[in-house]
Amino acid sequence: MPKALYPGSFDPITYGHLDIIERAGKIFEDLIIGIVENPRKETLFTPTERKEITERALEAEEISVSKVITFSGLLVNCAEKYERESIVRGLRANSDFEYEFQMALTNRDLAPEIESVFLMTSGEYSFLSSSIVKEVKELGGDVGTFVPEIVEEKLAEKFN
Ligand code: ADP
């Protein structure tokens, strides 16, 4: 079974991400979660915070992965460094497709030996995103159905 990297911002991790991780864990023998450090993209949490929150959410949900890392630079370089044959991404209701398609084709040009694999979101999470969670929490809403408790606590700390 191939080894995979699931990259993303995870700012913060949601049940949508966790669902993809759990399902990818059944397909791949070894799964690394890669948290992107992108100085051009503004995030609520720092890479170190996102790593810690992700690890704690995985622990709380009893989902095991090989490890959680942070990385900067080209995604394919990270995949090669950790000897990954596959990159896992999630696809939600229509909005993700164009971007993911473009990124997968670019990555294939850069590293033809690495295959991008897409897992379809579960219906209940098809409209769930980290941005929506942050928006709801900032406006004082309950995000308990979208993220584990630890994530909700960290969001509360940021917005207080
Ligand atoms: P990025 O900035 O790289 O898109 P995200 O953390 O927003 O980082 O997303 C990481 C990956 O997880 C992407 O492939 C995204 O489509 C997927 N994803 C995010 N939310 C969901 C969800 N609710 N259901 C399925 N996949 C999701």
Side-chain angles (χ1 to χ4, degrees):
M1 275 209 288
K3 297 189 180 94
L5 171 68
Y6 178 29
S9 306
F10 302 99
D11 184 46
I13 191 163
T14 69
Y15 282 134
H17 294 119
L18 287 161
D19 174 58
I20 297 287
I21 294 170
E22 195 165 25
R23 287 160 50 208
K26 293 180 189 150
I27 302 171
F28 299 100
E29 72 165 70
D30 183 307
L31 183 67
I32 290 180
I33 313 299
I35 298 186
V36 183
E37 293 177 32
N38 184 350
R40 276 175 300 146
K41 190 168 173 178
E42 214 177 291
T43 55
L44 178 65
F45 296 101
T46 66
T48 311
E49 286 171 331
R50 284 182 273 147
K51 179 174 185 285
E52 192 212 325
I53 296 169
T54 299
E55 285 169 340
R56 292 185 60 187
L58 287 166
E59 203 183 311
E61 296 299 310
E62 297 180 354
I63 300 171
S64 67
V65 298
S66 159
K67 59 182 154 185
V68 181
I69 56 151
T70 60
F71 74 97
S72 56
L74 278 180
L75 171 57
V76 290
N77 288 351
C78 176
E80 277 165 357
K81 177 177 167 193
Y82 289 95
E83 299 175 334
R84 307 286 106 179
E85 288 93 4
S86 306
I87 290 169
V88 174
R89 297 282 289 175
L91 282 183
R92 282 163 295 189
N94 55 52
S95 56
D96 287 329
F97 183 76
E98 294 286 328
Y99 173 71
E100 294 294 341
F101 187 58
Q102 191 183 25
M103 199 168 84
L105 292 187
T106 307
N107 286 335
R108 191 184 298 160
D109 269 353
L110 295 170
E113 69 288 358
I114 300 172
E115 196 63 63
S116 294
V117 176
F118 299 93
L119 296 185
M120 201 62 72
T121 182
S122 297
E124 59 196 301
Y125 306 128
S126 59
F127 292 99
L128 178 54
S129 66
S130 301
S131 316
I132 285 287
V133 171
K134 285 181 279 193
E135 211 171 309
V136 171
K137 187 70 188 172
E138 190 170 16
L139 296 172
D142 179 7
V143 293
T145 54
F146 306 142
V147 296
E149 210 175 314
I150 163 69
V151 180
E152 197 166 7
E153 281 166 24
K154 294 288 174 186
L155 284 164
E157 278 173 27
K158 278 281 174 195
F159 291 127
N160 279 342

